[in-house]
Amino acid sequence: MQTANYLPTAFLSTEDVLEIVRRMGLPAVLQGLADTIEADFRRWPEFAKSPRLASHSPLGVVELMPISDASRYAFKYVNGHPGNTALGLPTVMAFGLLADVSTGMPELLCELTLTTALRTAVTSALAARMLARPGARRMALIGNGAQSEFQALAFAHLLGVRELRLFDTDPAASAKLQRNLAGSGLRTVLCENTRAAVAGADIITTVTADKSRAQILTADMLRPGVHVNAVGGDCPGKTELAPDVLRGSSVFVEYEPQTRVEGALQQMPADFAVTEIWQVLSGRMPGRTSTEQITVFDSVGFALEDYAALRFMQDAARRLGLLQLLPLIPALADPKDLFGLLRPACALQQAFAGPPHPPAAAMRTGPWGQPVPESAAGFAT
Amino acid sequence: MQTANYLPTAFLSTEDVLEIVRRMGLPAVLQGLADTIEADFRRWPEFAKSPRLASHSPLGVVELMPISDASRYAFKYVNGHPGNTALGLPTVMAFGLLADVSTGMPELLCELTLTTALRTAVTSALAARMLARPGARRMALIGNGAQSEFQALAFAHLLGVRELRLFDTDPAASAKLQRNLAGSGLRTVLCENTRAAVAGADIITTVTADKSRAQILTADMLRPGVHVNAVGGDCPGKTELAPDVLRGSSVFVEYEPQTRVEGALQQMPADFAVTEIWQVLSGRMPGRTSTEQITVFDSVGFALEDYAALRFMQDAARRLGLLQLLPLIPALADPKDLFGLLRPACALQQAFAGPPHPPAAAMRTGPWGQPVPESAAGFAT
């Protein structure tokens, strides 16, 4: 029995996002995401921004990432639980919402588990386009887990990377990455350790998942002119780069207040200079300024990227006719009469035939006849 | 074509919540919510709490309200846009999530538009059970909008209120309330103004919606022993009580850091004494301590109430077999292989037949061959 009517909140499942990739092709999806994310970074001052709201527990973190401009509000729910894979669950699961700022009405609820992986890789490639040396073709990929293929393909499509030098502490992860990229035309080279993988690389992407203060990269591993795309360190206590890597580099970040807490930057003094990447993408500040310079993109993921990705998926799904409706928000015959929804569902004449219900907790009666919990102590009865 | 498999996130629409009310009856739903909310308030120290994250715009506010204990994480999305009713939309629309803290897995996505109205009224009644004089039967209801019937019925069922004295600046609102409560056994009396409505009332409930610094109640309107249940003031710049009402009363709140910013309390000095209601519900502090005392529950709504309401709806729906599955989080054949989802959807061999795509923004070439936005100025090229 369906008696409630609903306002039009659209829904996109992971299958719908896969269907968008099938119909548009992966290159067009990566390019479309890049265009949308870049366009939103270029209008950075229009957004109301805040660091994400993290809830830490012994096994992981759950985060809410809100952002808005004058017309739309977006947020993402995302977790990070490194131990999940042992339970058969993804490490990162996510979904997000787009709403109309002028009414608060939820327009779109969308899967972001797959979409987060795409937008993270595309954001890395956008930054590298301004920070890596022109003609960079060889990328070291340290950490060959869930995000690694996305990084590889975004850099291949958007930057022209053609060779990957792989290292992971788990050889099975590298083997999976090689299987997944077979036939892509990307050359992959398995390396014995991080030092071997980064030797000769134009770009170094670190995307490791351990929640610890690691030093995957140290300054002595880096040669002049390399670009470091550090993606795996993204919460307090989780870093990948040694402090001397940052000291010897020009460091670029998404949103400085968040990266100071979550990025490799958390290891540095509060006045350590960084540049927000929107300033480079919008032409206000230079990216790379010499062939010898070492650049670092200390990426932690920012709500603006999800806002842009939600907009892209909404537009694509609308164009392709994939939007389904989700019965999330009830339509009211009279919007001032919320109870009108409930009234047909309850028999009011039976409402209080008997005496009022007693409190759930064990209660005694206080000196003025008021209920007092049995556990109460310390005040006069 | 459905190729993605999903993890079991359950979904409850407004229709499902109505079906719970139909099958259990409204009294049992109110009582069940009261028991759950009270039980969660009594274990208050077990929760990780924070004030809600509000995003204000000229027309309204959008808020995220997260909370967690050792086993579950919950959040609510909720807006407040007083102008919505003129557009045919509800003023308040909401939904919420329950997730497993140990994995971050979303367990339940649930409508909270209707449920918020129920939990708010039940929380008011729980507080009044500890703060109103025993035997209170007559309640003034100032503001007869969307929340008013819920307050009326929660106080009728949980506290024994039998007579309502109504006032609203919009007579149509009071007429709607009278229609909705017809046959409930509750006696309703239309009053000419707030002063007339509160005269002789044991309890005064204010639930007005204007986003302004109003003074619906002033101290001279209150007689000794009355309990004020102030529900409508719930964000910065939106108040209902004159400061002298608070000065002459014992004031009880949900979560002090949030109420200091959002409640009637926002008008008072930072050291104005209040008691958190969980301390009363758990017997650590007294509620009402004399017949003459004036008590105020300065309610703004707190995430714990939504956490409890989500748990109640989840349990009820499970018992009644109403839980549907929502394809929100993909199940992965190999949880370390997120790309395995995407691989069948994209033809990698065509991946980068051509040259890499150019940047979306107009670019020129900088002195090191790097791309520079056309708009760039102020650094050497």
Side-chain angles (χ1 to χ4, degrees):
Chain A
M1 177 169 54
Q2 284 285 328
T3 61
N5 292 315
Y6 294 94
L7 296 172
T9 302
F11 177 67
L12 288 175
S13 68
T14 305
E15 177 57 29
D16 296 321
V17 170
L18 289 173
E19 185 63 16
I20 289 170
V21 175
R22 273 181 215 117
R23 298 220 208 153
M24 293 181 62
L26 183 61
V29 169
L30 292 172
Q31 186 61 43
L33 278 170
D35 293 348
T36 313
I37 293 172
E38 185 181 25
D40 283 340
F41 267 117
R42 288 169 66 95
R43 60 187 190 91
W44 177 266
E46 297 175 21
F47 286 92
K49 297 169 283 285
S50 58
R52 55 188 156 204
L53 200 56
S55 170
H56 295 276
S57 65
L59 293 174
V61 62
V62 171
E63 297 170 332
L64 294 176
M65 302 169 65
I67 193 169
S68 60
D69 62 13
S71 64
R72 275 161 165 166
Y73 173 93
F75 81 85
K76 173 162 86 170
Y77 168 96
V78 60
N79 77 300
H81 286 72
N84 269 7
T85 53
L87 307 170
L89 296 172
T91 299
V92 173
M93 300 177 273
F95 68 92
L97 185 87
L98 269 184
D100 180 342
V101 163
S102 66
T103 63
M105 167 68 194
E107 284 180 4
L108 173 71
L109 187 82
C110 180
E111 92 85 41
L112 291 178
T113 304
L114 178 59
T115 302
T116 293
L118 290 165
R119 72 79 157 136
T120 300
V122 164
T123 302
S124 286
L126 280 172
R129 198 149 65 181
M130 310 308 286
L131 301 178
R133 277 171 305 155
R137 294 289 172 267
R138 188 179 292 171
M139 179 162 88
L141 196 39
I142 313 301
N144 301 155
Q147 168 66 200
S148 60
E149 294 92 346
F150 297 88
Q151 289 283 334
L153 290 169
F155 276 78
H157 285 291
L158 300 172
L159 220 77
V161 161
R162 293 294 177 263
E163 180 181 326
L164 301 173
R165 300 178 61 77
L166 311 179
F167 177 69
D168 196 295
T169 52
D170 176 10
S174 303
K176 171 221 62 166
L177 183 146
Q178 287 191 300
R179 273 196 313 276
N180 276 334
L181 295 184
S184 71
L186 271 171
R187 186 169 167 237
T188 56
V189 180
L190 282 180
C191 301
E192 282 195 6
N193 52 42
T194 298
R195 187 174 295 274
V198 307
D202 303 306
I203 297 170
I204 303 169
T205 290
T206 56
V207 56
T208 59
D210 273 350
K211 192 175 175 178
S212 63
R213 286 196 176 274
Q215 301 204 344
I216 309 288
L217 279 189
T218 50
D220 59 300
M221 296 183 189
L222 306 182
R223 58 172 193 175
V226 74
H227 172 59
V228 177
N229 172 44
V231 179
D234 63 357
C235 72
K238 183 169 171 227
T239 57
E240 297 179 308
L241 308 184
D244 60 356
V245 168
L246 299 177
R247 274 191 291 266
S249 313
S250 300
V251 178
F252 299 81
V253 302
E254 287 143 317
Y255 178 52
E256 185 176 338
Q258 184 174 304
T259 311
R260 290 254 173 231
V261 177
E262 301 179 353
L265 196 55
Q266 68 187 270
Q267 310 171 88
M268 309 306 284
D271 62 350
F272 183 83
V274 298
T275 303
E276 287 184 332
I277 196 69
W278 73 273
Q279 298 191 292
V280 180
L281 291 170
S282 64
R284 299 185 189 206
M285 294 283 284
R288 170 171 295 273
T289 52
S290 79
T291 307
E292 301 298 295
Q293 184 184 22
I294 296 177
T295 52
V296 171
F297 180 45
D298 185 7
S299 175
V300 298
F302 183 56
L304 177 140
E305 298 149 30
D306 303 304
Y307 173 105
L310 285 164
R311 283 209 306 131
F312 173 79
M313 292 300 172
Q314 183 185 41
D315 288 349
R318 195 177 277 155
R319 229 170 28 241
L320 299 172
L322 295 173
L323 291 173
Q324 315 161 50
L325 292 183
L326 184 72
L328 191 64
I329 305 293
L332 306 180
D334 172 359
K336 291 185 176 177
D337 185 11
L338 179 61
F339 188 77
L341 270 181
L342 192 62
R343 167 116 224 211
C346 59
L348 288 185
Q349 69 281 11
Q350 304 166 3
F352 32 90
H357 295 263
M363 294 279 171
R364 52 201 166 89
T365 301
W368 304 278
Q370 83 279 28
V372 176
E374 285 289 0
S375 56
F379 65 96
T381 50
Chain B
M1 176 168 58
Q2 284 284 330
T3 61
N5 293 314
Y6 294 94
L7 296 172
T9 302
F11 177 68
L12 288 174
S13 68
T14 305
E15 176 57 29
D16 296 321
V17 171
L18 289 173
E19 185 63 16
I20 289 170
V21 175
R22 274 182 214 117
R23 299 222 209 152
M24 293 181 63
L26 184 61
V29 168
L30 292 171
Q31 186 61 43
L33 277 169
D35 293 349
T36 312
I37 294 172
E38 185 180 27
D40 282 339
F41 266 117
R42 288 169 66 94
R43 59 188 191 90
W44 178 266
E46 297 175 21
F47 287 92
K49 297 169 283 285
S50 58
R52 56 188 155 202
L53 199 56
S55 170
H56 295 276
S57 64
L59 293 173
V61 63
V62 171
E63 297 171 330
L64 294 175
M65 302 170 64
I67 193 167
S68 60
D69 62 12
S71 64
R72 273 161 166 167
Y73 173 93
F75 80 86
K76 174 162 83 168
Y77 168 97
V78 60
N79 76 301
H81 287 71
N84 268 7
T85 52
L87 307 171
L89 296 172
T91 299
V92 174
M93 300 177 271
F95 69 92
L97 185 88
L98 270 183
D100 179 343
V101 163
S102 66
T103 63
M105 168 68 195
E107 284 180 4
L108 173 71
L109 187 82
C110 179
E111 93 84 41
L112 291 178
T113 304
L114 179 60
T115 302
T116 293
L118 290 164
R119 72 82 158 135
T120 300
V122 164
T123 303
S124 285
L126 279 173
R129 198 150 64 182
M130 310 308 286
L131 301 178
R133 277 171 306 155
R137 293 289 173 268
R138 185 179 297 173
M139 178 162 87
L141 194 41
I142 313 301
N144 300 157
Q147 167 67 200
S148 60
E149 294 91 347
F150 297 88
Q151 289 282 335
L153 290 169
F155 276 79
H157 284 292
L158 299 173
L159 219 76
V161 161
R162 293 293 177 263
E163 179 181 326
L164 301 175
R165 300 177 61 78
L166 310 181
F167 177 68
D168 195 294
T169 52
D170 176 11
S174 303
K176 171 221 62 165
L177 183 146
Q178 286 191 302
R179 274 196 313 277
N180 276 334
L181 295 184
S184 70
L186 272 171
R187 187 172 165 233
T188 56
V189 181
L190 282 180
C191 300
E192 283 193 7
N193 51 40
T194 298
R195 188 174 295 275
V198 308
D202 303 306
I203 297 171
I204 303 169
T205 289
T206 57
V207 57
T208 59
D210 273 349
K211 191 175 176 179
S212 64
R213 286 195 175 274
Q215 300 205 345
I216 309 288
L217 278 189
T218 51
D220 58 300
M221 296 183 188
L222 306 182
R223 58 171 195 177
V226 74
H227 170 61
V228 177
N229 172 43
V231 179
D234 62 358
C235 71
K238 183 169 173 229
T239 57
E240 296 179 308
L241 307 184
D244 61 355
V245 169
L246 299 178
R247 273 190 291 266
S249 312
S250 300
V251 178
F252 298 81
V253 302
E254 287 143 315
Y255 177 54
E256 186 177 337
Q258 184 175 303
T259 310
R260 291 254 173 229
V261 176
E262 301 178 355
L265 196 55
Q266 67 188 271
Q267 310 170 89
M268 308 307 283
D271 61 349
F272 183 84
V274 299
T275 302
E276 287 184 333
I277 196 70
W278 73 272
Q279 298 190 296
V280 181
L281 291 170
S282 64
R284 299 185 188 206
M285 294 282 284
R288 170 171 295 273
T289 52
S290 80
T291 306
E292 302 297 297
Q293 184 184 22
I294 297 178
T295 52
V296 171
F297 180 46
D298 185 6
S299 174
V300 297
F302 184 55
L304 177 140
E305 297 148 31
D306 302 305
Y307 173 104
L310 285 165
R311 283 208 307 131
F312 172 79
M313 292 300 171
Q314 183 185 44
D315 288 350
R318 195 177 276 155
R319 229 172 26 243
L320 300 172
L322 295 173
L323 291 174
Q324 315 161 51
L325 292 184
L326 184 71
L328 191 64
I329 306 293
L332 306 181
D334 171 0
K336 291 185 176 176
D337 185 12
L338 179 61
F339 188 77
L341 270 181
L342 191 61
R343 167 115 223 211
C346 60
L348 288 186
Q349 68 283 10
Q350 303 165 3
F352 32 91
H357 295 263
M363 292 279 170
R364 54 198 165 90
T365 301
W368 305 278
Q370 83 278 26
V372 176
E374 285 290 359
S375 57
F379 65 96
T381 49

